[in-house]
Amino acid sequence: MSPSTSVGTSEFLAACAGERTKKIPVWFMRQAGRSLPGYRELRKKYDLLTLTQTPELAAKISLEPIERLGVDAAILFADIMLLPIAMGIPVRIVENVGPVVDQPVRTLEDLKRLRPFSREKVSFLEETIRILRGELKVPLIGFSGAPFTLASYLIEGQPSRTWTLTKRCMYESPELWAQLMGTLSDGVIGYLETQIDAGAQAVQIFDSWVGCLSPADYRAYVLPYMQKIFSALKKKNVPRIHFGTNTAGFLKDFANVDCEVIGVDWRISLGDAKRLVGDKALQGNLDSAIMLAEPSVVQARVDDMFREIDPHEGYIFNLGHGVLPETDDQRLRQLVEYVHGK
Ligand code: CP3
């Protein structure tokens, strides 16, 4: 039997449930990655996708920041592009570029290549999760990309700064957009249910690029799919974290999605975010780039953040986006200690 972690023993799970916490829980998006020496060593021998698909190695990478940084939650070592891969769309992760889809999905004909999700295609993740639950004393977070962010990679074929083709599809091909978003949404539900059934104790959905939309377009073209996904996951009874960047303009709409925690980036103050998300728990939002500065600068920013909200109630400390690869991991460790001392 895998050991269980209850709300009672985990400050992270307590904060997700909106409860008061003695110690402020901390974890970092992208904590298991290039800022850590063990990961960089493994990457000399294996590419990213191989690491994510090899349970013993993936588990080792998820565990590294727990020991080294002292964080209060682990994140499954995987990537948002594993879902489209499992659904039949080949993806390459190109060094210093990101995910590349050589045959993008831009027509109804292309869409036929996107197959329904089936759990057998990600049995390696189930195995990684089982290994991790046997080792971890802190909760394990599973995750998925949100349909908009996944769709943007499938349509653009590569990372974009303007998301022009994605928006064009949204505006010009409503039928294609609805089918693509619908199929991806069902995939996200199945993918996260698989992770929860295997032992993930919380899930986070990353809508990393949705902030390129106007609030009205978010409401029309994305929000209904997010509501469907989060409602479907409710019955699994684990905390659901909804994260996006550049979402200050439609954080109120985020608050209308049924979830326990909302993650925000650094472009909004925690006080404003709290007023918009209401009684949901809040996660965030130190600018990742601040970690390149001296500890005194970092600590002053943390103090500023904690003047905006009560960090001991329904709050999880995190960065506003992922750890930058050039971050000194010892500074991350000092930051964890500093927040824990508050
Ligand atoms: O600790 C963790 O969070 C590690 C697990 C993780 C990875 N990707 C591993 C990874 C997580 C949670 C992700 C999420 C992810 N992947 C997102 C959403 C989060 C965000 O940052 O907005 C997105 C948009 C992706 C797609 C993706 N995969 C990108 C943009 C990149 C980076 C490209 C680059 O080289 O900068 C990847 C590759 C990737 N995924 C790496 C890691 C550790 C780097 C691979 C390497 O070692 O070269």
Side-chain angles (χ1 to χ4, degrees):
M1 279 298 290
S2 49
S4 68
T5 313
S6 69
V7 174
T9 57
S10 162
E11 302 278 24
F12 167 77
L13 292 175
C16 288
E19 292 171 10
R20 284 203 71 79
T21 50
K22 221 189 249 155
K23 195 172 77 171
I24 302 166
V26 185
W27 72 281
F28 302 119
M29 293 181 275
R30 299 292 188 102
Q31 67 189 15
R34 287 177 293 191
S35 62
L36 296 185
Y39 176 76
R40 287 199 298 265
E41 239 357 86
L42 280 170
R43 273 287 278 114
K44 289 183 187 159
K45 282 203 247 162
Y46 308 96
D47 62 28
L48 173 82
L49 292 178
T50 304
L51 288 174
T52 61
Q53 290 160 353
T54 312
E56 294 72 22
L57 298 178
K60 202 171 155 192
I61 297 168
S62 281
L63 290 170
E64 190 179 9
I66 309 307
E67 277 295 305
R68 229 180 135 83
L69 309 179
V71 287
D72 301 292
I75 181 156
L76 175 67
F77 188 74
D79 191 80
I80 62 164
M81 299 313 286
L82 292 178
L83 175 59
I85 293 171
M87 295 173 78
I89 307 292
V91 178
R92 292 184 294 128
I93 304 288
V94 178
E95 187 96 42
N96 301 322
V97 175
V100 172
V101 179
D102 291 315
Q103 290 180 287
V105 177
R106 294 178 184 162
T107 63
L108 282 169
E109 190 57 30
D110 292 337
L111 194 57
K112 292 184 184 148
R113 289 186 277 119
L114 186 68
R115 313 299 309 156
F117 170 78
S118 72
R119 3 188 114 196
E120 305 80 70
K121 294 271 166 58
V122 295
S123 54
F124 56 91
L125 283 186
E126 297 176 289
E127 182 55 24
T128 306
I129 292 170
R130 278 192 284 270
I131 299 173
L132 282 169
R133 285 302 308 278
E135 302 272 336
L136 281 167
K137 292 189 180 63
V138 296
L140 174 64
I141 304 168
F143 72 94
S144 172
F148 178 88
T149 291
L150 295 172
S152 76
Y153 283 113
L154 296 188
I155 295 169
E156 304 282 342
Q158 60 191 32
S160 168
R161 285 181 180 279
T162 54
W163 295 277
T164 315
L165 294 171
T166 309
K167 291 185 185 185
R168 184 172 183 167
C169 170
M170 217 171 75
Y171 298 128
E172 282 195 337
S173 318
E175 192 189 336
L176 172 59
W177 183 256
Q179 284 192 29
L180 176 58
M181 290 291 282
T183 306
L184 287 172
S185 299
D186 291 341
V188 169
I189 294 167
Y191 185 58
L192 289 176
E193 284 177 344
T194 303
Q195 295 180 33
I196 296 166
D197 290 345
Q201 292 145 294
V203 287
Q204 173 156 321
I205 299 188
F206 288 88
D207 214 347
S208 305
W209 313 134
V210 77
C212 69
L213 295 180
S214 71
D217 286 342
Y218 179 78
R219 245 166 262 146
Y221 295 101
V222 178
L223 183 61
Y225 301 98
M226 301 312 292
Q227 285 171 324
K228 180 183 172 190
I229 293 169
F230 278 94
S231 303
L233 293 170
K234 189 183 180 72
K235 62 176 181 301
K236 289 290 177 186
N237 248 330
V238 302
R240 297 159 294 169
I241 310 171
H242 188 183
F243 168 78
T245 71
N246 250 319
T247 55
F250 41 87
L251 213 49
K252 249 199 141 41
D253 297 302
F254 261 54
N256 279 327
V257 176
D258 185 2
C259 70
E260 285 68 36
V261 187
I262 291 186
V264 290
D265 76 3
W266 65 95
R267 296 175 183 90
I268 184 168
S269 75
L270 279 184
D272 285 346
K274 186 73 205 162
R275 282 183 280 282
L276 288 166
V277 309
D279 56 7
K280 292 188 198 311
L282 195 59
Q283 174 177 283
N285 71 347
L286 185 74
D287 186 343
S288 309
I290 303 266
M291 293 315 295
L292 307 177
E294 293 296 321
S296 61
V297 177
V298 175
Q299 291 171 7
R301 293 303 178 102
V302 172
D303 292 347
D304 288 343
M305 285 166 66
F306 293 174
R307 272 192 282 274
E308 297 256 347
I309 56 157
D310 174 0
H312 288 277
E313 190 170 290
Y315 171 72
I316 300 145
F317 186 90
N318 206 313
L319 302 176
H321 202 170
V323 173
L324 296 172
E326 54 270 56
T327 308
D328 174 348
D329 67 316
Q330 287 316 300
R331 283 196 178 161
L332 289 173
R333 187 181 181 96
Q334 285 167 3
L335 173 59
V336 173
E337 281 164 9
Y338 188 71
V339 174
H340 280 168
K342 289 278 153 183

